[in-house]
Amino acid sequence: MNSPAFQAPAYIQFYPTLRCNMSCSFCFNRSLPEIPDADPADVKKMASACSRLGIEHIDFLGGEPTLHPELARIVAAICQHGLQVTLSSNGTRPEALWALSRRFPENSVRIGISVNSDTLPPGLDAYIRDRRPILKSVFTHSDFLPGACETYIGTTGIEYCLIYRDAADAADLENCQPFDVFCDHLETLQAQHPDVNGIFCGGFVPDTKNTPELAETRCPAGTTKLSVLPDGSVYPCYLFFRYPEFCLGNILEHDFSGIWNHPTLDFFRRFSGNPCPRQTCRLHPQCHGGCPAMSYLHQGRLNAPDPRCVR
C-alpha cells in the first residue's frame, strides 16, 4: 500500500443535507439518491473525531445547507470543537444566512454564495453589501460572468471565485471548456481584480506553494481532503458519491485508520505522469492530468485524460 504523506486530511467536505430548492443544470449532485439529513448528535460525534485527528476545517456543501432545520445547532457543534466552517449556499434563504452571521464570528464561520444569474433572490443584496461573503460562479463559456457578479466584483472585502465546471453527463461536456481556456479567462479577470480566485481540481495544477506534498500526488482526494455524506459515509471526493465502490467506510462507525489507509486511495496518492495527449497545451508540463472522477465517469477509468480537455 502506498503510504500517505498526511496523517489526516486538512479538511472535510461535509454534506448536512442533499435536499435543494433549486435544480441547477451544472450541479454534479443533482442525480444523487435521497439520504436523510444529518443528525445533530452524529455531527457532534464527527466533530469530536475530526478534532482528535487534527482536522481544522469543515466545508459545508449540498444540497442547500440552509434547508437543514437544525443547521445552527450542527454548525455550533463543529465550532465548539475548535474547527472552522465554510458554508456554501445558493443564497435563496438570506434570513438563514443572516442568522448564522449574527451568531458566529467570521473567523469561525465563513459564508460563500453561488451567483449564477443576472438577478439575485430577494433580500440577498442587502446581506452581500453588509456581510461581504465569498461570491462564486461556475465558468461555462469564455465570456461568462453573471451580471449579478459584475455588481460586486472588485468590491473591497468581497472575494470572488470562478469555478471550473464539473460534467455530470455527456450533455454537460458541451457546456465545458478545456482547462487551459478556463485559466486564460481566470487570468484576465485576475489582472483586473486581484481578489479573484479560481476553484478547480488540484488534479490539474496542484497548489504546491501552500501544500508542497501535492507535487507527488495525483489529486487532493484522500490526501488533503475527504468527503462525507449526511449519514457519515466517506469518499475520496464528492464526485465519487454516486459510486459505491469508492466508499471508504463510515466516519461514525469505523476506525479512521481503516478509512485513511483504504487501498482505494493509493491511486490518488501517487503521481506517475500526465496522461493527457494535448502536449502542446501550455499547462501540460505542470498539469497532473485533470480530475480522475471526471475520467472515471465518462471513460470508466481513473487514469484517462480529463474529458473536458480531450473529447
Side-chain angles (χ1 to χ4, degrees):
M1 178 180 297
N2 190 38
S3 177
F6 311 91
Q7 298 304 309
Y11 69 101
I12 294 287
Q13 295 174 318
F14 176 56
Y15 287 67
T17 180
L18 292 181
R19 294 182 295 120
C20 193
N21 53 359
M22 296 185 70
S23 183
C24 300
S25 61
F26 52 79
C27 179
F28 193 83
N29 292 328
R30 63 182 184 268
S31 59
L32 291 180
E34 292 185 9
I35 297 177
D37 291 353
D39 184 286
D42 288 340
V43 176
K44 186 175 182 179
K45 182 178 178 181
M46 182 186 75
S48 177
C50 289
S51 179
R52 290 195 306 271
L53 293 165
I55 298 170
E56 300 178 349
H57 197 110
I58 306 293
D59 194 5
F60 276 52
L61 302 171
E64 170 52 36
T66 63
L67 293 178
H68 195 296
E70 298 188 81
L71 178 62
R73 181 181 170 191
I74 64 178
V75 170
I78 301 249
C79 293
Q80 285 167 4
H81 282 85
L83 282 72
Q84 292 183 315
V85 169
T86 299
L87 185 144
S88 296
S89 171
N90 59 26
T92 56
R93 304 186 69 241
E95 68 282 0
L97 301 179
W98 275 111
L100 288 173
S101 293
R102 287 167 176 153
R103 178 171 176 177
F104 302 100
E106 188 176 331
N107 61 357
S108 294
V109 179
R110 187 79 195 275
I111 305 294
I113 300 174
S114 296
V115 178
N116 291 285
S117 69
D118 292 336
T119 58
L120 295 177
L124 186 58
D125 175 74
Y127 178 82
I128 292 174
R129 293 184 184 280
D130 186 86
R131 294 294 177 167
R132 307 294 168 92
I134 303 167
L135 296 183
K136 302 180 288 184
S137 64
V138 176
F139 174 81
T140 299
H141 299 294
S142 60
D143 59 352
F144 179 77
L145 186 66
C149 284
E150 292 180 349
T151 303
Y152 306 106
I153 192 169
T155 300
T156 301
I158 291 182
E159 177 186 345
Y160 173 72
C161 297
L162 191 65
I163 302 173
Y164 188 47
R165 176 176 176 154
D166 297 321
D169 53 41
D172 282 351
L173 287 176
E174 298 305 315
N175 288 313
C176 293
Q177 295 278 357
F179 182 67
D180 55 320
V181 175
F182 165 80
C183 288
D184 289 343
H185 185 69
L186 175 62
E187 289 167 8
T188 298
L189 277 178
Q190 290 173 327
Q192 301 170 358
H193 307 288
D195 288 332
V196 171
N197 292 302
I199 297 179
F200 52 86
C201 175
F204 283 103
V205 180
D207 182 8
T208 55
K209 179 179 180 180
N210 293 311
T211 313
E213 296 90 338
L214 289 178
E216 305 300 324
T217 67
R218 179 62 179 79
C219 78
T223 55
T224 57
K225 73 173 182 180
L226 290 173
S227 298
V228 180
L229 282 168
D231 65 358
S233 298
V234 183
Y235 291 77
C237 168
Y238 72 90
L239 296 172
F240 289 104
F241 280 163
R242 63 184 67 196
Y243 301 112
E245 62 267 33
F246 284 92
C247 183
L248 308 173
N250 191 296
I251 199 169
L252 304 172
E253 302 172 2
H254 301 136
D255 182 75
F256 184 77
S257 63
I259 293 172
W260 192 239
N261 293 289
H262 198 289
T264 295
L265 296 178
D266 287 355
F267 171 85
F268 305 99
R269 292 170 173 168
R270 181 172 52 246
F271 176 52
S272 57
N274 184 357
C276 181
R278 293 180 64 219
Q279 296 188 17
T280 57
C281 171
R282 66 182 178 89
L283 299 175
H284 194 279
Q286 63 198 97
C287 180
H288 284 202
C291 175
M294 291 290 98
S295 299
Y296 191 80
L297 171 65
H298 292 277
Q299 301 178 65
R301 53 193 179 95
L302 292 171
N303 62 346
D306 193 296
R308 292 167 292 183
C309 292
V310 179
R311 308 223 180 143

